Amino acid sequence: MIIPHPLLGPRDAQEFTYLGDASLLNRPDWQAENADAAFYDYQYLRNNPAGVHRELWFHEQGDRSWLIVTRNTVTHEILGAELAVDVARDMSTKTETGV
């Protein structure tokens, strides 16, 4: 499988470590009343989607960047890849502006 690294171009997936569902980047509030249940769900309950899915990958044997890879889990087709820092920046901008 070839991952289209946004900075380095096409890279073999063996250079990366798969780290799971990218939607789990937002940790629950540890001070909330339901923190125990929320952290249990966050840590142990995982979806196993069939189809298009956003995943977190770490370029361990390269520039050590974190990527959000959009991949079809049925066909393993890579639909795109973005630097995780850019995705996080976009999310915080949308939160600040209310968009």
Side-chain angles (χ1 to χ4, degrees), residues 3-61:
I3 295 177
H5 194 291
L7 302 175
L8 305 175
R11 311 303 299 177
D12 192 292
Q14 292 180 2
E15 296 181 12
F16 294 83
T17 300
Y18 170 79
L19 294 164
D21 185 353
S23 68
L24 296 176
L25 297 177
N26 298 323
R27 290 179 174 226
D29 179 5
W30 65 275
Q31 294 177 325
E33 284 187 34
N34 67 339
D36 289 345
F39 269 100
Y40 177 85
D41 291 351
Y42 172 81
Q43 183 67 33
Y44 296 108
L45 301 182
R46 298 283 190 257
N47 291 328
N48 189 13
V52 177
H53 184 61
R54 289 170 50 98
E55 304 168 331
L56 185 63
W57 290 72
F58 178 60
H59 196 194
E60 185 173 21
Q61 296 177 17

Side-chain angles (χ1 to χ4, degrees), residues 5-7 19 22 25 54-59 64-69 81-92:
H5 194 291
L7 302 175
L19 294 164
L25 297 177
R54 289 170 50 98
E55 304 168 331
L56 185 63
W57 290 72
F58 178 60
H59 196 194
R64 305 189 65 76
S65 59
W66 295 83
L67 302 181
I68 304 292
V69 175
E82 312 169 74
L83 292 173
V85 68
D86 292 343
V87 173
R89 187 178 305 119
D90 289 346
M91 287 174 51
S92 68

